[in-house]
Amino acid sequence: MIVFKNIVLLLLLWSCQISFGQNSIENFLKPSDTLNKKRLKTLIIAEAAVGSLSLIGLNQLWYANYPRSNFHYINDNAEWLQMDKAGHVFSSYHIGSFGANALKWSGANRKSQLIYGSTLGLVFMTTVEIFDGYSSQWGFSVGDELANISGTALYVSQELLWNEQRIVPKFSFHTTPYASSRPNVLGSSIQEQILKDYNGQTYWLSVNIHSFAKSSTIPKWLNIAVGYGAEGMITGNDGFVNAIFLPESKRYRQFYLSLDLDLTKIETKSHLIKTILTVFNSIKIPAPTFEIKSSGTTKYHFLYF
């Protein structure tokens, strides 16, 4: 799961222009009104290079230490209380969003943005899934692939329905004590835990109120967010770790209701600021939050992240 792939790509696009000065940055980041073949060529080469290097690196770091196998499937839909599936939806959506916005920047028409840009996440994540299918340690997960398709469909359907993104998947994270019980799986550092410790991850659907209500009294940037999380997970399913049995009763789901901001709705004429706001719009801001556990107990957080 590549949670922050879109953020890394956008930051690279932005940071490589810093040395040219403010005006050059603004001109560079301003979307082209018509197809700019030079930008399009540069974009295709950059995406191909970054994608290839990412897959080569992933193969060496993730798969090289495990034997290959014939292509096979696995059913992991019951694992991790489906937190991994939420991560696939998030990643596919945001990589696709980056792809579409990158083509918009190059001046490509809307049809190309939807067909070739918004499917970037699905293509990349499917390739990773195929890698899994040829590894003896894992396998091609139909559940993961359906989640990848869902993330892409969420982006494309909103563009077709409303010509804007009114519902945006977002991510937040907090550290938990579970990682220390199994650091090789849940992460030994904060960077690893953000990607691996499902107990500390929360995935959100952030809904822009103004886009639906069309009321002048509601700020354009105000969102309401519903979130999903889970805790009590040291293994994917019930099982033994270090001779300690982990019963299902200790695992529980969490549902959240919170306020949020749509950073892309903040008005500014600066294309640099717009780019930065777009990058960080995939992250849920800390805010007052109401939590309901699957056990029925509730909790209020003054600030939850």
Side-chain angles (χ1 to χ4, degrees):
M1 181 184 64
I2 314 298
V3 176
F4 291 113
K5 174 75 175 179
N6 63 307
I7 294 178
V8 172
L9 290 174
L10 281 171
L11 284 176
L12 285 173
L13 179 65
W14 165 60
S15 61
C16 69
Q17 297 301 311
I18 293 300
S19 61
F20 291 95
Q22 183 68 31
N23 290 334
S24 296
I25 295 173
E26 287 294 321
N27 291 332
F28 176 81
L29 293 175
K30 182 180 179 181
S32 178
D33 295 329
T34 58
L35 181 61
N36 186 317
K37 293 183 178 180
K38 183 178 179 180
R39 284 189 176 188
L40 182 60
K41 181 179 180 180
T42 301
L43 180 62
I44 292 173
I45 293 173
E47 286 185 351
V50 172
S52 299
L53 288 174
S54 298
L55 291 174
I56 292 172
L58 181 65
N59 180 67
Q60 292 301 313
L61 295 174
W62 196 265
Y63 299 103
N65 294 328
Y66 299 98
R68 304 291 185 181
S69 69
N70 293 327
F71 186 84
H72 64 286
Y73 295 88
I74 60 168
N75 183 352
D76 61 352
N77 293 334
E79 294 187 3
W80 302 111
L81 295 180
Q82 295 79 51
M83 285 296 294
D84 56 328
K85 304 299 182 282
H88 278 267
V89 172
F90 173 90
S91 299
S92 182
Y93 174 95
H94 281 288
I95 300 174
S97 176
F98 164 78
N101 283 318
L103 280 178
K104 181 179 180 180
W105 167 80
S106 74
N109 60 41
R110 187 165 178 267
K111 182 178 180 180
S112 296
Q113 294 171 31
L114 291 178
I115 295 177
Y116 304 110
S118 61
T119 56
L120 180 64
L122 179 59
V123 171
F124 183 85
M125 299 297 288
T126 299
T127 303
V128 174
E129 207 60 46
I130 292 173
F131 276 25
D132 282 349
Y134 283 102
S135 174
S136 62
Q137 185 72 10
W138 294 278
F140 187 99
S141 167
V142 175
D144 286 354
E145 186 62 12
L146 289 175
N148 296 334
I149 294 171
S150 297
T152 299
L154 178 60
Y155 182 89
V156 173
S157 61
Q158 293 186 82
E159 287 297 314
L160 295 176
L161 281 172
W162 304 311
N163 199 28
E164 64 176 348
Q165 296 297 301
R166 299 182 179 184
I167 305 171
V168 177
K170 295 196 177 186
F171 174 85
S172 64
F173 177 81
H174 58 272
T175 57
T176 74
Y178 301 101
S180 60
S181 300
R182 206 179 178 199
N184 60 317
V185 172
L186 301 181
S188 58
S189 66
I190 183 66
Q191 294 86 353
E192 290 184 351
Q193 290 169 22
I194 290 174
L195 297 175
K196 296 181 177 181
D197 186 5
Y198 294 117
N199 300 282
Q201 298 175 1
T202 306
Y203 290 97
W204 305 82
L205 287 177
S206 186
V207 182
N208 185 253
I209 303 173
H210 181 272
S211 295
F212 286 101
K214 299 298 183 182
S215 172
S216 59
T217 60
I218 300 175
K220 293 182 179 181
W221 41 260
L222 181 62
N223 280 22
I224 187 168
V226 291
Y228 174 66
E231 286 198 31
M233 303 176 294
I234 300 179
T235 60
N237 291 309
D238 297 340
F240 289 88
V241 175
N242 297 329
I244 300 175
F245 181 69
L246 306 170
E248 175 66 25
S249 60
K250 289 187 178 181
R251 298 167 180 253
Y252 58 90
R253 305 175 191 271
Q254 301 154 304
F255 305 93
Y256 301 93
L257 182 64
S258 182
L259 295 175
D260 191 31
L261 299 180
D262 186 338
L263 300 180
T264 65
K265 295 293 195 296
I266 297 176
E267 295 184 1
T268 175
K269 295 182 180 180
S270 170
H271 294 287
L272 173 59
I273 295 176
K274 285 181 181 179
T275 301
I276 295 173
L277 292 176
T278 299
V279 167
F280 288 101
N281 200 49
S282 59
I283 302 175
K284 167 72 170 64
I285 67 163
T289 301
F290 181 70
E291 173 188 350
I292 303 177
K293 293 182 173 64
S294 54
S295 62
T297 59
T298 61
K299 184 177 181 180
Y300 176 77
H301 303 267
F302 179 70
L303 283 178
Y304 177 86
F305 190 69

